[in-house]
Amino acid sequence: MKKIFFLLSLLFIFACKEQKTKESNLSSFQGKEIEVSNANGFSITNYDDYKIVTVNNPWPKAEKKFIYVLSRKGTQLPTDLEYDQKVTIPLKKIVVTSTTHIPSLESLEVENTLVGFPNTKYVSSKKTRALIDAGQVKELGKNESINTEVLLDIQPDVVIGFAVESGTKTFETIKKSGIPVIYNGDWTEADPLGKAEWIKFFGAFYDKEDLATTIFNQIKTEYNKAKKLASKSDHQPNVLCGAMYKDVWYLPYGDSWQAKFIDDANANYLYTNTSGNGSISLAFESVLEKSHKADYWIAPGAFTSYDAMMNASEHYNKFEAFQQKKIYSFAGVTGETGGALYYELAPNRPDLVLKDLIKIFHPEVLPNYETTFFKPLE
């Protein structure tokens, strides 16, 4: 009887140990998802020895998600794990292909890992320009046709790319060489804070998710504080955007990133009821009829002065915002080689963009604020 009891006790102990082991493995397999509150285009799940970054919307109407595995050197991945590319982290050398990626690297204090960039003349940041001037960041030619010879010579750990419709031949060539290509879809986000949250995407590649989250939360707090301040104003001015190019007026849709800023700045974008991808294309007469009495006109293409606008078309003078000198542009704020700071930094710092517009539309709300991007036309 004692032997039977002893054997039953052993079986019970082994069964408990086996159950704990299974529960431990299950817990490890489930992973921990990083909170992504405003962006729709990506997710990050951390496991014990690796991470999975999923890019949901690499470009509009993409037919598939891209799954990327980030792991340390020597990590054994599950044999049944399916993914598109694998990257060894933390990164030592990176190539990015959009100026919007650079502020994230600088905020995470890893800009020294940048070793290549296409069209370096468009980079505005003084910090990264210093690296370019020192020869630490190689010129890679055009985005559509990256100089693969130079790229193979510098051997980055990864290339962070973007595509408008689908993967390019250049990216396919790079992948065949053994260098991982990761698609970044920050530009597809319509929510200003959604674009900014992609700093967490970069944080995953450097084991800096906590820092990325802290930075994003600070931006989000400042954005929401500014939005709340603007909402206290009783006045809601009418706003026009865009300009003509070859007799066609291009302006953002009402559900776009740009329009969201105007709405959050407590102003009325005159095309707020439109929706779509890209830009609205309209005849001049249509815009004049709807918008000639607009209180403000922002982002008039590449124009930085009223004389330049008049030289392009005398018809601009028919708008009250032109007559009353209430046009504001970001085109005049550039880096030392001519790159527009707005295109580089604005997606990463929506709080600064919003404050700029609030200063323009409701100057009494931010009396001591100096705009970062938008300046009055000369």
Side-chain angles (χ1 to χ4, degrees):
M1 188 68 181
K2 289 183 179 179
K3 287 183 178 180
I4 293 173
F5 179 78
F6 178 72
L7 288 172
L8 288 173
S9 299
L10 285 176
L11 287 171
F12 177 76
I13 291 170
F14 287 139
C16 289
K17 285 184 177 180
E18 184 179 0
Q19 181 63 29
K20 286 182 179 179
T21 301
K22 286 181 179 179
E23 288 176 355
S24 176
N25 289 339
L26 181 61
S27 175
S28 174
F29 179 77
Q30 287 176 338
K32 178 183 178 183
E33 190 163 343
I34 300 298
E35 181 183 4
V36 179
S37 57
N38 291 83
N40 295 316
F42 75 99
S43 64
I44 303 170
T45 306
N46 286 346
Y47 296 84
D48 286 345
D49 301 318
Y50 63 95
K51 309 172 188 181
I52 291 182
V53 175
T54 303
V55 176
N56 305 315
N57 304 307
W59 52 80
K61 298 180 181 178
E63 295 180 354
K64 64 163 287 185
K65 298 179 180 181
F66 285 81
I67 298 173
Y68 304 115
V69 174
L70 284 53
S71 62
R72 288 163 189 79
K73 191 174 182 179
T75 297
Q76 288 189 339
L77 299 174
T79 56
D80 60 346
L81 188 62
E82 297 182 359
Y83 53 87
D84 293 283
Q85 294 277 271
K86 183 177 73 170
V87 180
T88 301
I89 59 168
L91 299 180
K92 299 290 192 299
K93 296 192 294 183
I94 189 174
V95 164
V96 298
T97 54
S98 171
T99 56
T100 63
H101 303 160
I102 289 172
S104 289
L105 299 182
E106 292 186 352
S107 296
L108 295 170
E109 300 180 341
V110 293
E111 69 276 1
N112 286 326
T113 64
L114 182 64
V115 293
F117 187 85
N119 287 316
T120 54
K121 67 179 181 180
Y122 291 120
V123 176
S124 299
S125 164
K126 291 182 179 179
K127 189 180 290 187
T128 299
R129 286 233 60 86
L131 296 175
I132 294 170
D133 295 339
Q136 291 179 237
V137 181
K138 300 296 182 182
E139 172 60 61
L140 296 177
K142 296 181 179 180
N143 217 331
E144 307 80 33
S145 55
I146 290 174
N147 189 325
T148 52
E149 186 176 341
V150 176
L151 184 74
L152 293 175
D153 185 55
I154 60 179
Q155 281 293 304
D157 300 322
V158 69
V159 173
I160 305 295
F162 70 95
V164 177
E165 292 181 345
S166 61
T168 66
K169 291 182 179 179
T170 302
F171 287 154
E172 292 303 316
T173 301
I174 294 170
K175 284 192 284 187
K176 288 177 182 177
S177 74
I179 298 173
V181 175
I182 308 296
Y183 287 113
N184 177 295
D186 58 0
W187 65 280
T188 66
E189 301 283 350
D191 182 354
L193 288 172
K195 286 183 184 289
E197 196 165 17
W198 278 78
I199 190 173
K200 296 179 182 179
F201 168 90
F202 283 100
F205 288 86
Y206 292 93
D207 284 334
K208 291 196 172 191
E209 291 95 332
D210 289 345
L211 176 58
T213 297
T214 298
I215 294 169
F216 172 71
N217 287 342
Q218 290 171 346
I219 292 169
K220 186 173 181 177
T221 297
E222 285 299 307
Y223 188 97
N224 288 330
K225 281 171 59 178
K227 179 180 176 180
K228 187 175 181 180
L229 278 174
S231 69
K232 295 179 180 179
S233 177
D234 296 329
H235 177 54
Q236 193 176 59
N238 292 322
V239 179
L240 168 66
C241 293
M244 285 189 294
Y245 178 73
K246 294 183 178 180
D247 298 325
V248 178
W249 197 299
Y250 295 95
L251 61 166
Y253 279 102
D255 58 352
S256 67
W257 176 67
Q258 299 95 323
K260 175 66 173 171
F261 279 121
I262 297 171
D263 183 57
D264 286 349
N266 193 19
N268 175 41
Y269 177 45
L270 290 170
Y271 293 86
T272 191
N273 292 325
T274 61
S275 62
N277 296 316
S279 300
I280 310 172
S281 306
L282 297 174
F284 170 81
E285 292 77 13
S286 171
V287 178
L288 180 64
E289 181 181 1
K290 186 178 182 68
S291 311
H292 70 281
K293 289 189 176 182
D295 299 296
Y296 294 96
W297 182 350
I298 64 168
F303 295 116
T304 57
S305 72
Y306 290 96
D307 287 343
M309 292 187 74
M310 283 296 290
N311 289 336
S313 174
E314 293 183 357
H315 296 306
Y316 286 134
N317 192 37
K318 296 179 180 179
F319 292 85
E320 289 188 10
F322 187 101
Q323 298 164 11
Q324 297 174 12
K325 299 293 187 290
K326 290 187 176 181
I327 303 179
Y328 294 80
S329 174
F330 57 74
V333 182
T334 63
E336 62 183 42
T337 55
L341 180 65
Y342 183 85
Y343 293 130
E344 181 175 310
L345 185 60
N348 296 268
R349 292 299 306 271
D351 55 323
L352 299 181
V353 179
L354 183 60
K355 288 177 183 178
D356 276 12
L357 296 180
I358 293 172
K359 177 66 176 182
I360 294 168
F361 304 148
H362 309 287
E364 75 285 354
V365 173
L366 295 173
N368 301 316
Y369 178 77
E370 182 177 344
T371 59
T372 302
F373 306 106
F374 285 93
K375 305 294 180 182
L377 256 61
E378 297 175 357

